[in-house]
Structures are given as structure tokens and as C-alpha cells.
Amino acid sequence: MAVFSVTLAVCVGCSGKSPGDGGTSDGGTSDGGTSDGGTGDGDGCKVQALVQERCVSCHAASPINGAPMSLASLDFLRLQSQKEPSQSVAQRCVERMKSTDNPMPPAGGAPATAAEIAVLSSWIDSGMPACAEGGEEPHSPPNLLPQNELFTCKDAVSDAPTRIRRMNRWQWTRNVGGAVTRGWTGFTFFDNPFDPGAGEAYSTYATDETLDEATIELFLPVLNEAGPPWAGPYTGDNRLERLRLDTTLRCMWDDDRPTAACVQHYLHEFLLHGVLFREPSEGELNRLQQFAATILAAEPPASGGTDIRTHSITRISNAAWMTAGALFRTEGGAPTATGRTQLTDWELGQQLAYAVGNRAPGATPTWVYPDFSAPLDGHLADIAAAAANGTLRNPATAEALFLQNVGGTDPTRFDLIQDYNKNERAARGQYWLGDGATGFFREWLGYSKIPEIFKERPEALSAFDDGDPSGYRSQLSSYSNLMDGYYGDEPTLVQQMEDLVSRVVVEDKDVLKNLLTTRRYYLASTTQPTAAPGATKYTGQIYNVTQSVDTDRWVTMPTTERAGVLTHPAWLGSHGGNFEDDPSIVHRGKWVRENLLCGYIPPLSSVRVMAKVGPHAPNKSARARLDDATGKAECQGCHSLMNPLGYPFETYNHAGYLRVHDHAADGSLGPPNGSSTLSGLPDPALNGPVRDAVEFSEKLAQSPWVKRCFIRQAFRYYMGRDENLTDACTLAKMEQAYDSSEGSFRKMVGALIKSDTWTSRRIPGEGE
């Protein structure tokens, strides 16, 4: 029997059948209300106490006495009301508390008092914050904000404060000239411990502001990779052309006893171009020079040889990389008389460089015979130069640099030289995006997870399921090669999705619409010779493609089978389960609700019941098993937000293959069912019947509501934080830029980069 956790609390709004006794556990009070007097100041703890005292005797995790919903935590009050989709459950509760015709508590119980209503109303007006006590962390989920207000500019200025941001794994790897794949170019992404925070929407969020002892211990062994290349042009794993051409640096490794001036000049260039990627402060330079002097003075006589100097420079490098300036970047800026701070030129440069390339301005090039991955001045050197000369403060210059570096076309795929060999690069599409831009789509769509998810019989119920149980069958071999690309040089399934996304973004017209509706997919070639032909021969089957795929690799899908990224096997498999009849419906529907509709669903931490899907059965499809498990009234409050949005994707199995069979009630195999009737969606045009995921994707692509949610997701990724109502003017400008440029993603993000939200911050208050 498969077991999975699902959100079960009923969230249909404070309406429906009344409890049989009409009251609460103690009947309430006539004069007041809550245990703390109900002052109505927006405190989540007071709301929690109010609900506990007046509601949960019936509206428990599993409601009793006829109560139609759970109010077991604040998350359920934050949900969209199913009776009134334009309201939250909490807003609906306030209406019921005020009502004389349909009151809450119902007739027979003590009416809600003015103080109780004030407590709940103030909490709603404050953004429905959490209670910091009793296990809830203070938060205000951004999807609870009214989307229309977020795009209504009232001349507010963003109140986001200054921040300190820690390097993440990708950034540190790129900065020292490493690869993001495990393999052939030396130091890789997997060799440092700087994982981004797992609890945030995007890796760009500034949540990890400290380094604990365990992380430092994991970091120390990999530091030696960064130091030796700076001990001379031909030391270490990476040849640095700067050290070969700049003769002023040679004294550091050629001279037995380098002078103080030599050491200072070398360390300045080392910090600027190898560690900080900005001008070092006087204190940073002086402290490192003092340490370097101590290390050099402890060296044995000159007969010790060059290995000793390499060791010394490596120790100096290790010390530099252990400083706060190396592992963290600030957005503190220079305070102004207005109570705000303008980011400095170098802070603007680093912010832009990480946005487009997920690396620092001037990040270390990699030597990959016979080429360097970037010129002498490093990656994104144009952004570094603009930061150094102050021109980056000009909004037009900043936008132009973003547009120049965010993506383009290149049949040689030189952008991948750090990661893949020539043959692998030659098999990729001609469109490319910078690491930062690719990162947004990778994290928003979540399609890169599929290699990590075990799929039992990935071809199950497709036209290619012949019942063969062998672990050596060709279908499984080809599927496995789509996951890891072990045989041959063809792109993996994730890379195929990224080539599709890159083409849509680089073409840059109606980007969201084309992402959701394109039929032009990039596939692995099946005609290239390989030592393991069975591993590449059937890679088209996951797309339902049986003809040979030539070296052009672009294939147009049938209009009835695929439409855009939501019907791409990489997305479907990443949001699918392990077995063909797993609750993939829930995973896919939840993603659509949260990431395309910007809706809210309580987290699993709010669930009080462990749901069990019934046993596998020949006459029960995934849809039937899920409906049996979640059809109860206490489940539907939340599952009604997910299941209908996931039903259209049931025409594809857990791995993304097109189903040609499904389970029928009589035990035979019948056709798959992807139909769904949608209701209560924030965009009324989305309501009504849909045939399948293709039609659903086409409807989503036309929705202004979905477009705004897409803009919000981009804002979150590029700003590294949740939006709030003070960001409305910036979000409105992003929408205007998108609409006026016929759907240009680059112009949309360019509008963000030109805004005050990008260039300035609020000075935090005392203790904040």
C-alpha cells in the first residue's frame, strides 16, 4: 500500500452546514472575546488563541459535529474561500461573524463580539502574519497578497531593507573557475558545501547569513583548489593567463624574498580578480598583507624550491577565502538623507553579474585546451568595468549590459566550455542563456529534479510498454541515458528542456505564451553512432516520437499531444511519482496552483492526518485511487485546490510518456482521462471544462492573471526575496515593459534592473 502525505484539512470557507449544537466548547463570552482581550492589532497569536477558544471544538483537524472545514491552524484561514473565490477563508469568516442572517457561530451560540471581529480583521489587514510562538515562524506567504493590488502603483517606495548574502554552491564554483558538472574539467560544483537554503522558493534568497562549524569543516579541504593557480601561470589545475602576461606579478613567485610593495600589489590584484571581485578595502588588503608577511617569513631558505612558494601562496589564498568579504556579499550601500541607501557601484556590479551569470563580475576563467572560457579580464568583464568606472549607475547602461549577457545564439555553445567537451557541446541547441537566466527557469519550473526520482517502469501504459520485465530492455536503457547521458554525447532530458526554454527566451516574443504552447521541442539524435545503440535508439519514445531524429534535433510535436513546458517529459517527470498510479495529479496540480496562479495551499506541516492511497489494483487508475483517498469532505477543502488542476495531466504517466491505456473499472485497459472541470479560479476565463493538459496549457497561456504570476516569480528570483505591496510600482513597470515589447522577458527584467527597487534599499531599524 502506497503512503503519502497530503494536505487534508478542509478549507472551504466559513460557511455551510452548522454544527449540531451551534456553539463552541465553552459557549464563548458575551463581552469580549479572546483570552488576551482582543485588542485587534494584527497579532497572529491572538487569532490562534481566538480560533482555539471558539472554533476548534468542531473545526478540528478532522472536523466533527457537522463542521464543514478545519480551522486547526492559521494556514487554513489564509486559504482561498471556495464559496467566495475572491476572498480568503479569514475574510469569509469575518463576514459570517458580522452576519445576522447566517452568523458564525450559528444561532444558539454566543455571537462573535466586536473585539473578536477586530482581532481577525486586523490580522487580515496586516497580511495574515504567523504567530511567532507555539512552533510557527513569523512569515507572510507572498501568494496571500492580493495580486491586483501588487500591480497598482500608488507611488510607494520599496521598503525592503539592506542585506548580507552568502555565496551559494554554484556561485563559488563559478568564481574559482570550476565546472557545474562532475567530470572532466577539474574542480566541480559538487566539491563545496554551500548549498542554498532548502526552505526558500529560490536559491537566490538571502537566508543563510552565517557559516556554521560543520560547513566550514567541509569547506576547508576544497580551498586548496583555488590557491595553486595563483602561484604562477602554470601551477594548479587551471592555467591563469593573467599571471603569464602581467609581469608585475611575477615577483611574488620568482623572488626569494618579495618586497612589501610587491606583495601588496600582488594581493590587491589577487583580491580584485580572484577572491572578492571588487576593489578590496584598505582593511581587507592590510590584514591579508600582514598574514602573507608572516607566511613568507616562515619559509625555509631559497633552496626550498618553487613547491614551497606554491604552498605559501595557497595558504594565503585559503586565508583570503575564509574572510567575510569572500564568502558574503553585502547590499548595504551608501546611506542618504532620505533614510534609504543607494547600492555602491561594486554592489550594483555584483548584483547584476550574479543575476545574468550566477558568478561575480570578472570571475576566474577556466583553461580548457585549447581555449580559455573567458578573456583575460574574466567572465562578465564588461559589468566589472562598468562598476569600476561608475557608468553602471546609469539605468540605460545597466539594462544594456543585462540584455547583452543574458543570452543569444552560438552554434559552438562556447558558454558551456567549462562544463562539457566539444562533442557534447556540438549536440546542444544553438540558443543559450546565461547561468542566472537558466537558473530562473530551472528553479521556477522545477524540471531539473527528474534524474533524482526513481521511476518504476517509466514506459508503463504507453505505446512502448510491451510487458517485458527485464532490467536490460532497450526502453529502460534509453530512458536511463536520457537521465545521465552516459552513452554517447547526446543531451539529457533536462538539457533538452533547457534548449527549448533558451530558444523561446532568446527569440523573446510572447515568452510566457510560447513557453506554455510551443510544439517545437529539442530531442536527442537517434542517428549518431554510439558504442551502445540501445541506449540512444529509443530516446524519442518518451515524446511519443518513433521516427529517427537527425542531427538538427528540433522536432515539431503533434498539436494534440504536447504543448509547451507543462507537457514536456522533464517537467512531468519532475512533478510525478515513482509508480504510474502514484498521486502525480497532486504534485502537478499543486505546482500550477502555486506557481502559475500564485495561489496558496497550506504546507504539509499543517496537515494533521496521514493519508493513505489504496493498494494498487488492475481496475483502479491513478485518478481513481486518488479520488478514493481524497474524496472525503475533510480532504476536499485543500485537494479541491490541487486535484482539478492536476487531472488534465493524467494523459501522461509518472515519467511523462503519453498514455495510450488506463485502468478500467472492469479490469480491462481503457483510454486515459485528462478531462477536468475548473471552478473558482482567480481568472474567471480559466473556469469551465478542459479536455486535457494541451487545452489547459493553451488556456493558461492566454490568462492575464497567469502573466502577472509569472512576473512575480521573476521578481522573486532576481531580487532574491518575496514581493510586498510596496513593490507595486516596480511590478507594474515590469508588466508595462512586457506588454509594450510584445512579451519580451528580457525587457521585463530590464525594467526591474532600471528601478529604484534594484538600486536602493531601506536602512533597517534598530534590532531589525
Side-chain angles (χ1 to χ4, degrees), residues 223-248:
L223 277 178
N224 288 338
E225 294 285 345
W230 280 89
Y234 305 111
T235 58
D237 292 333
N238 189 25
R239 167 181 165 182
L240 297 183
E241 194 74 346
R242 177 182 296 278
L243 300 189
R244 186 179 71 84
L245 297 177
D246 188 348
T247 58
T248 66

Side-chain angles (χ1 to χ4, degrees), residues 36 133 138 195 397 474 609:
D36 58 8
E133 304 169 6
D195 293 303
T397 300
S474 295
V609 178

Side-chain angles (χ1 to χ4, degrees), residues 507-527:
E507 290 177 348
D508 208 28
K509 184 175 181 180
D510 290 329
V511 168
L512 178 61
K513 177 182 177 182
N514 287 327
L515 280 173
L516 294 175
T517 62
T518 182
R519 265 75 175 191
R520 193 179 173 204
Y521 283 29
Y522 195 78
L523 275 62
S525 172
T526 58
T527 62

Side-chain angles (χ1 to χ4, degrees), residues 8-10 56-71 633-634:
L8 285 176
V10 175
V56 297
S57 59
C58 294
H59 294 270
S62 295
I64 59 175
N65 296 330
M69 76 216 72
S70 168
L71 297 177
E634 61 266 29

Side-chain angles (χ1 to χ4, degrees), residues 237-515:
D237 292 333
N238 189 25
R239 167 181 165 182
L240 297 183
E241 194 74 346
R242 177 182 296 278
L243 300 189
R244 186 179 71 84
L245 297 177
D246 188 348
T247 58
T248 66
L249 300 174
R250 295 181 183 179
C251 58
M252 187 65 180
W253 59 84
D254 282 346
D255 294 358
D256 288 343
R257 295 298 176 193
T259 65
C262 166
V263 174
Q264 184 181 57
H265 173 64
Y266 171 88
L267 294 179
H268 175 273
E269 295 300 291
F270 168 56
L271 290 173
L272 175 60
H273 299 294
V275 178
L276 303 177
F277 304 101
R278 58 169 171 79
E279 281 288 342
S281 69
E282 182 178 354
E284 288 171 325
L285 183 58
N286 288 343
R287 284 190 293 273
L288 188 60
Q289 186 168 7
Q290 292 173 11
F291 179 77
T294 301
I295 297 300
L296 293 172
E299 286 183 346
S303 59
T306 58
D307 287 345
I308 291 177
R309 182 57 51 82
T310 297
H311 178 67
S312 295
I313 291 177
T314 299
R315 292 186 64 190
I316 295 167
S317 170
N318 289 354
W321 271 110
M322 290 292 290
T323 62
L327 296 176
F328 299 85
R329 62 184 178 98
T330 64
E331 295 177 359
T336 67
T338 64
R340 294 185 65 77
T341 179
Q342 292 290 326
L343 298 192
T344 67
D345 293 335
W346 279 108
E347 285 174 338
L348 288 172
Q350 295 213 337
Q351 182 176 235
L352 180 59
Y354 284 111
V356 295
N358 225 345
R359 67 184 96 207
T364 304
T366 301
W367 167 248
V368 181
Y369 179 84
D371 300 302
F372 288 92
S373 63
L376 171 69
D377 291 331
H379 291 272
L380 304 173
D382 50 356
I383 296 177
N389 63 31
T391 58
L392 191 57
R393 193 161 295 282
N394 183 321
T397 300
E399 182 186 34
L401 286 168
F402 172 76
L403 297 177
Q404 179 177 320
N405 289 287
V406 70
T409 57
D410 176 17
T412 71
R413 292 307 301 269
F414 194 80
D415 61 298
L416 299 176
I417 196 170
Q418 282 184 268
D419 304 319
Y420 304 108
N421 63 42
K422 184 177 180 180
N423 291 335
E424 289 173 317
R425 299 197 307 272
R428 297 294 299 274
Q430 65 269 41
Y431 303 94
W432 65 272
L433 291 177
D435 284 343
T438 297
F440 165 63
F441 292 99
R442 183 185 295 121
E443 294 183 26
W444 171 52
L445 293 168
Y447 57 76
S448 63
K449 296 181 289 187
I450 187 169
E452 306 166 14
I453 304 172
F454 164 74
K455 303 293 183 182
E456 195 270 346
R457 296 193 59 79
E459 75 277 17
L461 298 188
S462 74
F464 314 104
D465 183 2
D466 59 7
D468 182 0
S470 170
Y472 300 96
R473 62 190 187 277
S474 295
Q475 293 97 327
L476 183 60
S477 179
S478 289
Y479 178 84
S480 298
N481 207 49
L482 283 171
M483 297 300 105
D484 57 27
Y486 186 82
Y487 294 104
D489 299 311
E490 291 303 307
T492 66
L493 191 63
V494 169
Q495 292 165 349
Q496 292 167 35
M497 173 70 122
E498 295 192 338
D499 282 319
L500 179 156
V501 170
S502 296
R503 177 184 59 78
V504 172
V505 176
V506 170
E507 290 177 348
D508 208 28
K509 184 175 181 180
D510 290 329
V511 168
L512 178 61
K513 177 182 177 182
N514 287 327
L515 280 173

